[in-house]
Amino acid sequence: MVFVHTKTVSNQVDEILLERIREGMYLPGIRMPSESELSDEFGVSRATVRTALAKLAASGIILRKQGDGTYVNAHIHEASAQFGNLWDLVQLIEGNGYKPSIKFLTIEKRPACEKEALVLAIDKGEDVICLRRLFYADQQPVIFADNVIPYSLLKTPLESIDGSLHIREIFRNYFNQRIVFAITDIRSTVMDDLAGSYLSGGLGRSILQLQVVLYGRNNLPIATGVNIFDDAILRLSLAQAWF
Amino acid sequence: MVFVHTKTVSNQVDEILLERIREGMYLPGIRMPSESELSDEFGVSRATVRTALAKLAASGIILRKQGDGTYVNAHIHEASAQFGNLWDLVQLIEGNGYKPSIKFLTIEKRPACEKEALVLAIDKGEDVICLRRLFYADQQPVIFADNVIPYSLLKTPLESIDGSLHIREIFRNYFNQRIVFAITDIRSTVMDDLAGSYLSGGLGRSILQLQVVLYGRNNLPIATGVNIFDDAILRLSLAQAWF
DNA sequence: AAGTGGTCTAGACCACGGC
DNA sequence: CCGTGGTCTAGACCACTTG
């Protein structure tokens, strides 16, 4: 097998395996080829195959049983998120089977309030960028997102920001930052005026609030976010497998 | 270094490292020893050290930077759960800094309703065990848990079940099952009569509902659960790190 | 340039499950 | 018993960051 030199070998292996699972070449309930068979087939070492399989197992796509074999997990499609990845809203919407799109609402520069300053480890009153966006699942608005980012991190003019991009792209393109670590708080709350004006359904309805803090390369906070999540339309479900 | 033969070498290594982090021997912001230094110190291969470090990195305890080094994550203590482990309520309460305890409420055998039968992959009307418990954080009731398990899985008399045990123990002791895979749905809802009679706070209050399906060795569902979670007292926060 | 973590190899032995 | 995945070793080279 010839590998293109863009990704690691183990990554290419797990992509092939994922493709085969999606195609139905490996079916739930039937043993997949053993590690040795796969390493022979791909012409890589068994350790490399194991790296690829470990990645699939961690996200619950396959289940591995010592002394027996490796099996496709028949239930994984029931979960919309893996790995506790609650901040990647695009992936969350895709996981629910919808086509995600992002509508840019507003962007503004203003001084940080005390609470924001504390979380972002900046001084109170220091400038922050406040970015408001609305996420759609197919044509329905499902998540109202409010992000606050220290202005000092911005590397390009404020006006140049394309608010409809994936948050990862925004940080890469305009802030030269990479998201390394995230903490998400999940709360139950009721629909307020602001969120209610964008999301469907009545005021006072019970909804989910995801409070996110994103950290960058130096383990410093690079953004906070409050995401109002319409759980009447989107399911927030997490999968976890053990070894 | 002499290793006791009860756990794997890499497990013993990561426990030592965890201990050192807790003791403050490795501090946030200061580079930890390199992989080579650790493998020399412990007298194990670099691959074994990497296995241990990978485990710590996956739960966000350490952060690794290629070309630079490994650092203790200063922010990890802000999360109460890792790995999307939302079904282990005891761990969730501990993660919030409380002492967990479980109060057994009721246990009964009854026919499964249609919905339960569907989820548990059994026939409608087949017997299930319904186990209700209340989880305390210190002395406060914080989670009302309602579990439904197929009666056919039970290996001991119904009366022998100790409802105050950890769910993992219950499955091991009385069902001879191991929890291999779990899917948790998170919903926002309002306090109803049943939950309200156990948890503090008024009816109609906005609270979190965790709907769990647990799968066993054969990838068959072994239990469903509905956990009413008082997020006014407990924080549900998840950490996630990238590589 | 030096040192770090990231990837990969080719071996070895062990623990476990099904036959 | 045999084959499976689980662990471990001792090397090698690469990609990246920092001084």
Side-chain angles (χ1 to χ4, degrees):
Chain A
M1 161 157 314
V2 180
F3 286 111
V4 193
H5 176 52
T6 46
K7 298 175 179 178
T8 66
V9 179
S10 71
N11 260 317
Q12 298 181 57
V13 170
D14 75 47
E15 278 173 13
I16 293 172
L17 296 176
L18 210 45
E19 185 59 28
R20 290 184 177 178
I21 291 170
R22 274 197 267 265
E23 280 174 354
M25 181 167 164
Y26 304 142
L27 294 172
I30 301 171
R31 242 209 311 269
M32 284 173 60
S34 72
E35 297 179 350
S36 314
E37 288 169 332
L38 290 172
S39 73
D40 285 349
E41 180 190 348
F42 295 131
V44 300
S45 76
R46 196 184 142 211
T48 303
V49 169
R50 278 185 65 75
T51 302
L53 290 172
K55 193 176 157 191
L56 298 178
S59 53
I61 293 166
I62 58 172
L63 300 171
R64 324 199 63 198
K65 303 184 203 176
Q66 184 172 128
D68 184 355
T70 301
Y71 297 82
V72 174
N73 184 353
H75 298 284
I76 184 60
H77 61 275
E78 293 162 17
S80 63
Q82 283 96 42
F83 273 55
N85 186 356
L86 299 173
W87 62 270
D88 191 336
L89 305 176
V90 167
Q91 192 178 301
L92 221 47
I93 293 169
E94 282 175 345
N96 271 267
Y98 296 105
K99 187 176 162 301
S101 56
I102 306 175
K103 183 181 176 190
F104 167 73
L105 297 176
T106 62
I107 191 166
E108 56 165 343
K109 186 173 96 172
R110 60 166 173 76
C113 72
E114 197 158 351
K115 204 173 158 190
E116 290 164 349
L118 190 68
V119 175
L120 293 174
I122 59 177
D123 291 328
K124 183 186 165 189
E126 204 174 302
D127 277 336
V128 292
I129 298 167
C130 179
L131 174 63
R132 288 191 171 148
R133 317 198 289 165
L134 193 56
F135 288 73
Y136 287 78
D138 290 344
Q139 309 308 328
Q140 295 178 97
V142 286
I143 306 174
F144 171 70
D146 191 343
N147 283 106
V148 176
I149 312 167
Y151 183 73
S152 59
L153 294 177
L154 190 61
K155 305 294 184 198
T156 65
L158 185 61
E159 297 73 27
S160 66
I161 295 181
D162 179 354
S164 65
L165 290 179
H166 194 290
I167 188 89
R168 240 191 204 123
E169 306 297 311
I170 290 182
F171 274 110
R172 203 182 49 185
N173 296 352
Y174 311 115
F175 295 89
N176 191 30
Q177 290 276 350
R178 212 168 54 97
I179 300 167
V180 166
F181 182 68
I183 295 181
T184 304
D185 260 51
I186 305 172
R187 295 176 181 287
S188 177
T189 183
V190 292
M191 187 90 86
D192 63 8
D193 283 337
L194 181 61
S197 65
Y198 294 111
L199 301 177
S200 57
L203 251 67
R205 216 175 99 225
S206 186
I207 45 172
L208 287 175
Q209 187 189 53
L210 307 182
Q211 295 180 330
V212 187
V213 183
L214 301 175
Y215 296 88
R217 266 192 293 272
N218 306 104
N219 204 20
L220 291 174
I222 54 177
T224 72
V226 176
N227 303 320
I228 305 296
F229 185 102
D230 189 344
D231 67 335
I233 300 172
L234 282 189
R235 284 178 57 218
L236 183 59
S237 65
L238 299 172
Q240 175 61 2
W242 290 263
F243 326 105
Chain B
M1 161 159 311
V2 180
F3 287 111
V4 193
H5 177 52
T6 45
K7 299 176 178 177
T8 66
V9 179
S10 71
N11 260 316
Q12 298 180 59
V13 170
D14 75 47
E15 279 175 11
I16 292 171
L17 295 176
L18 209 46
E19 185 59 28
R20 291 183 177 178
I21 291 169
R22 273 197 268 265
E23 280 174 353
M25 182 166 163
Y26 304 143
L27 293 172
I30 301 170
R31 241 208 312 267
M32 285 174 59
S34 72
E35 298 179 349
S36 314
E37 287 169 333
L38 291 172
S39 73
D40 284 350
E41 180 191 347
F42 295 131
V44 301
S45 77
R46 196 183 141 211
T48 304
V49 169
R50 278 186 65 76
T51 303
L53 290 172
K55 194 176 158 192
L56 298 179
S59 54
I61 293 166
I62 59 173
L63 299 170
R64 324 198 63 198
K65 302 182 203 177
Q66 185 173 138
D68 183 355
T70 301
Y71 296 83
V72 174
N73 184 352
H75 299 283
I76 184 60
H77 60 275
E78 292 162 19
S80 63
Q82 281 95 41
F83 275 35
N85 185 357
L86 298 173
W87 62 270
D88 191 336
L89 305 176
V90 167
Q91 192 178 300
L92 220 48
I93 293 169
E94 281 174 346
N96 272 265
Y98 296 105
K99 188 179 160 298
S101 57
I102 304 175
K103 184 183 176 188
F104 167 74
L105 297 176
T106 62
I107 191 166
E108 57 165 341
K109 186 172 95 172
R110 59 166 174 76
C113 72
E114 198 157 351
K115 203 173 156 189
E116 289 163 349
L118 189 68
V119 176
L120 293 174
I122 59 177
D123 292 329
K124 183 186 165 186
E126 203 173 304
D127 278 335
V128 292
I129 299 167
C130 179
L131 174 63
R132 288 189 171 152
R133 317 197 290 165
L134 192 56
F135 287 72
Y136 287 78
D138 290 345
Q139 309 307 328
Q140 295 178 99
V142 286
I143 305 174
F144 171 70
D146 192 343
N147 283 106
V148 175
I149 312 166
Y151 183 74
S152 58
L153 295 176
L154 190 61
K155 303 296 182 197
T156 65
L158 185 62
E159 297 73 27
S160 66
I161 295 181
D162 177 355
S164 65
L165 289 179
H166 193 291
I167 188 91
R168 240 194 205 121
E169 307 297 311
I170 289 181
F171 274 110
R172 203 184 49 186
N173 296 353
Y174 311 114
F175 295 90
N176 191 29
Q177 290 276 350
R178 209 167 55 96
I179 301 168
V180 165
F181 182 67
I183 293 180
T184 305
D185 261 49
I186 305 172
R187 294 178 183 285
S188 178
T189 183
V190 292
M191 187 89 86
D192 64 7
D193 282 339
L194 181 59
S197 64
Y198 293 111
L199 301 178
S200 55
L203 251 69
R205 215 173 100 224
S206 186
I207 44 172
L208 286 175
Q209 188 188 53
L210 307 182
Q211 294 181 330
V212 187
V213 183
L214 301 175
Y215 296 89
R217 267 191 292 272
N218 307 103
N219 205 18
L220 291 173
I222 54 177
T224 71
V226 176
N227 303 320
I228 306 295
F229 184 103
D230 189 344
D231 67 337
I233 300 172
L234 282 189
R235 285 176 57 218
L236 183 59
S237 65
L238 299 172
Q240 175 61 2
W242 290 266
F243 329 105

